[in-house]
Amino acid sequence: MPDPCRHERGHITDSRFFGNRYSTATSREIFCDTCRKQRWLDIEAALALAQGELGVIPAEIAEQIAAVADLDHVDLDQVQAETERSGHSLIGLLRALETACGPTAGQFIHFGATTQDIQDTGQSLEIRDVLDALSPMLDGIIRSLTDTASRHARTIGLGRTHAQPALPMSFGLKVAGWLDELLRHRERLSVLRERTPAAQLFGGAGTMASFDGRGMATLERFAERLGLVVPDLGWHVTRDRVTEFVSTLAMVTGTLARIADEVRTLSRPEFGEVEEAWYSGKVGSSTMPHKRNPERCEQVVVLSRLAAAQAGLALTAMVGDHERDARSLRLEWACVPDVSHYCLAAAEIATGIVTGLIVHPDRLAANVETVTGQVMSERLMFALGEHIGKQKAHEYVYELMQEARSRGLPIRKLAASDPVITARLTDAEQERVFEPASYLGESPELTMRVVERARATVS
C-alpha cells in the first residue's frame, strides 16, 4: 500500500497550514532553497566578471561562466546527490557549474575563493533583501500610529503601572510611546543597511593570498556588482554584523509585540478601550459563536518570543576558533532565516492591527471616571503640600486613601469632610483637584513632539 504521506516540508514557516502566520510570501522567497542556489551562482558569475575585468582570468572566459551560471543549466537532483556524496555544502553546485561551463571555462570558476566567501556573501544578499522588505513595512506602521497618536493627543485615558490605575493621561501619549520606539528601530535598520550586508572574498584564511596581489581590487568590483558593503577585513569568524542583524530584528519584533499585547489587554471587556478590526466570517471559536479573539495580537507575541530565541543563537555564533569555524556559520544558517521569517510575519500582521485599530474614547473616559478618586491622589497631595509640605502631605493623603479603600468610601467624600483638607482647600479647589481631564500634564505636547518627528522622518 503506498505511503499517503507526501513528505512535504515540515518547518512551520513552510507549512501550508501554519506558514502564513509564521512567515510571509516575501520571506519564503528570500530563503527559498532554489533561490539560494541561484544566488550562489549569481555570486560566482559576479566573481568571474570582476576577475575578467582585472585580467585575473580571461575576459571571454568570465563572460562564458556568467552566461551559464543559471539553474537552467544545472541539474538540481545531480547537485543534491553530489552534495550528499561529498558531504560538502557547495561542491555539488560547483561541479555542476563546472560541467555546464565546459572543460576550459570550468577551470576558472570559483577562482581563488573559498566556500564561505560565497555562502557568507549569499547570506549578506539575503540580509539586504530582508531589510529592503522590512523597512517600508515599518514605515507604514509608523504612518498609521502617527495618525492615531495625533488624533488622540487630547483623548483622556488611564495610565496604568504594575497593572493598576496610576494617573490620567492622553491615549495619544501611549501611542506616541510605541511610535518613539519604532522610530529608533528605523534608525537602527538604516545603520544596518549601511554596514551589515558585506561582501566576503578573502580566501582560505582571510589573507587574499590566492588573488595574487589583486584581492582588494577584485573585492571592490565584486561587491559593487552585488550592491554590497566592502569590508576592510575578512569576517569568516567575525560575526558581529550578523549578530547585530538578528538582534535588531528580534528587537523590532519585540516592540511590535509590546504594541500588540497592549491592544490585546485593552480589548478585554472589562477595559473595552480598543479592539482589533473585525470582519464578517472571522471565527473566534469552534464552539463559542460569540468570541472575537485578538488572535492577531497573540500571534505577534508568539513571533516575538521565537525571534528573541534566535538572538541567543546568534550571540553564541560570535565565538569561533581561529580563522574559520563552521559551528558559527551553521548556527546562522538556522537563526538568520528564522528571525527574518518571524519579524516580517510580525510586521505584516502588525500592519493590519494598527491600520484597523478601533479606539473607544467613551470607554477610555469611563474607565478614568471609575477610579478618579484613586488616580487624583497625586494632585491632592501637591495641593495640600503647598500648605503643609509635600512629604507631610504624602503621608496624610496616603492614610486618607487607605481609609477610603478599606471603608469602601469615595476619597472625594472623605476629603470633603476632613478638617485638615477643608481648612486649607476651598470647595472650588477640591473640585478642581478631582478633575482628571485637567490633569493630563503635558501629554498632548509630548505626543505631538513625537508625531512631528515621525512626520518629518517618514513622509
Side-chain angles (χ1 to χ4, degrees):
M1 183 176 179
D3 185 352
C5 176
R6 291 181 293 173
H7 302 292
E8 294 181 0
R9 294 173 181 174
H11 195 286
I12 199 162
T13 58
D14 293 323
S15 166
R16 290 185 183 182
F17 187 71
F18 294 112
N20 289 332
R21 292 174 177 82
Y22 291 84
S23 60
T24 68
T26 298
S27 70
R28 291 192 294 272
E29 182 176 346
I30 293 171
F31 295 101
C32 159
D33 252 0
T34 303
C35 298
R36 179 176 287 116
K37 289 184 177 67
Q38 182 58 61
R39 192 175 287 114
W40 288 347
L41 290 176
D42 292 341
I43 292 166
E44 294 288 356
L47 172 60
L49 291 170
Q51 291 174 321
E53 291 172 1
L54 294 169
V56 176
I57 67 174
E60 64 275 12
I61 292 292
E63 294 291 343
Q64 188 177 340
I65 292 171
V68 298
D70 190 283
L71 290 181
D72 288 343
H73 299 281
V74 170
D75 184 336
L76 287 178
D77 290 336
Q78 180 186 346
V79 169
Q80 185 62 32
E82 185 62 19
T83 299
E84 296 300 330
R85 190 194 70 79
S86 66
H88 191 279
S89 57
L90 188 63
I91 204 71
L93 187 64
L94 290 177
R95 287 176 178 168
L97 179 59
E98 180 184 349
T99 299
C101 287
T104 301
Q107 299 308 304
F108 290 94
I109 66 167
H110 199 65
F111 204 75
T114 191
T115 294
Q116 194 173 342
D117 286 339
I118 305 304
Q119 292 177 337
D120 275 350
T121 300
Q123 182 168 266
S124 288
L125 290 172
E126 292 167 348
I127 286 172
R128 181 197 65 189
D129 290 351
V130 169
L131 293 174
D132 287 350
L134 178 59
S135 292
M137 294 174 74
L138 196 65
D139 282 356
I141 293 170
I142 287 170
R143 288 189 199 97
S144 291
L145 291 177
T146 299
D147 291 343
T148 302
S150 176
R151 190 162 56 251
H152 294 287
R154 296 184 177 277
T155 300
I156 190 170
L158 181 60
R160 300 174 176 92
T161 60
H162 306 281
Q164 298 296 312
L167 292 170
M169 62 183 290
S170 78
F171 183 73
L173 184 60
K174 181 189 291 288
V175 178
W178 304 340
L179 189 57
D180 186 48
E181 196 168 328
L182 289 174
L183 287 170
R184 286 193 294 277
H185 288 324
R186 191 179 189 275
E187 293 174 6
R188 292 182 178 105
L189 293 180
S190 179
V191 171
L192 276 178
R193 186 64 178 79
E194 295 301 317
R195 73 181 175 204
T196 299
Q200 180 86 281
L201 193 66
F202 291 85
T207 65
M208 288 186 164
S210 57
F211 295 109
D212 195 24
R214 287 173 286 190
M216 282 307 300
T218 303
L219 172 64
E220 287 169 1
R221 297 200 181 198
F222 172 71
E224 183 181 2
R225 282 185 169 276
L226 296 169
L228 296 175
V229 176
V230 178
D232 290 330
L233 295 173
W235 46 282
H236 293 133
V237 288
T238 306
R239 312 309 292 184
D240 62 294
R241 289 182 181 88
V242 182
T243 301
E244 184 179 24
F245 168 78
V246 175
S247 300
T248 300
L249 260 63
M251 289 171 65
V252 171
T253 315
T255 298
L256 296 176
R258 184 170 80 84
I259 297 168
D261 206 46
E262 186 81 349
V263 172
R264 180 192 68 85
T265 299
L266 297 182
S267 70
R268 288 173 162 177
E270 54 266 38
F271 294 118
E273 297 176 356
V274 300
E275 62 179 300
E276 285 186 15
W278 191 261
Y279 58 86
S280 179
K282 183 174 173 61
V283 177
S285 169
S286 63
T287 187
M288 295 174 285
H290 69 280
K291 295 299 288 293
R292 289 191 177 187
N293 297 334
E295 187 273 335
R296 290 186 297 176
C297 291
E298 292 174 335
Q299 183 62 18
V300 175
V301 174
V302 168
L303 291 166
S304 77
R305 291 171 180 171
L306 290 168
Q310 308 314 306
L313 291 175
L315 286 166
T316 62
M318 292 185 71
V319 183
D321 285 349
H322 309 304
E323 280 59 60
R324 185 77 60 79
D325 191 339
R327 294 175 299 175
S328 295
L329 184 65
R330 292 177 185 182
L331 279 170
E332 291 174 1
W333 289 353
C335 67
V336 168
D338 281 357
V339 78
S340 301
H341 288 307
Y342 302 143
C343 185
L344 289 175
E348 189 171 272
I349 296 169
T351 298
I353 294 170
V354 301
T355 56
L357 184 66
I358 300 168
V359 181
H360 297 293
D362 55 334
R363 288 299 301 271
L364 284 160
N367 288 339
V368 175
E369 182 63 30
T370 300
V371 291
T372 293
Q374 297 177 44
V375 299
M376 300 310 292
S377 67
E378 180 185 79
R379 196 178 200 183
L380 177 61
M381 174 194 71
F382 279 118
L384 184 60
E386 291 181 9
H387 301 277
I388 66 173
K390 186 263 182 184
Q391 297 304 324
K392 287 183 179 179
H394 182 280
E395 293 173 9
Y396 195 83
V397 173
Y398 169 83
E399 293 296 338
L400 203 65
M401 286 298 305
Q402 303 315 310
E403 182 184 354
R405 292 286 297 273
S406 298
R407 294 172 59 188
L409 296 174
I411 182 63
R412 208 164 175 171
K413 181 178 180 180
L414 205 59
S417 61
D418 184 86
V420 173
I421 292 176
T422 55
R424 292 164 177 84
L425 299 178
T426 66
D427 290 347
E429 287 172 330
Q430 289 184 52
E431 188 69 25
R432 177 168 171 74
V433 161
F434 291 102
E435 289 177 353
S438 63
Y439 199 62
L440 299 182
E442 297 180 36
S443 290
E445 293 78 12
L446 292 169
T447 299
M448 294 310 297
R449 179 184 176 90
V450 176
V451 164
E452 288 162 12
R453 179 158 54 89
R455 285 175 174 164
T457 303
V458 181
S459 57

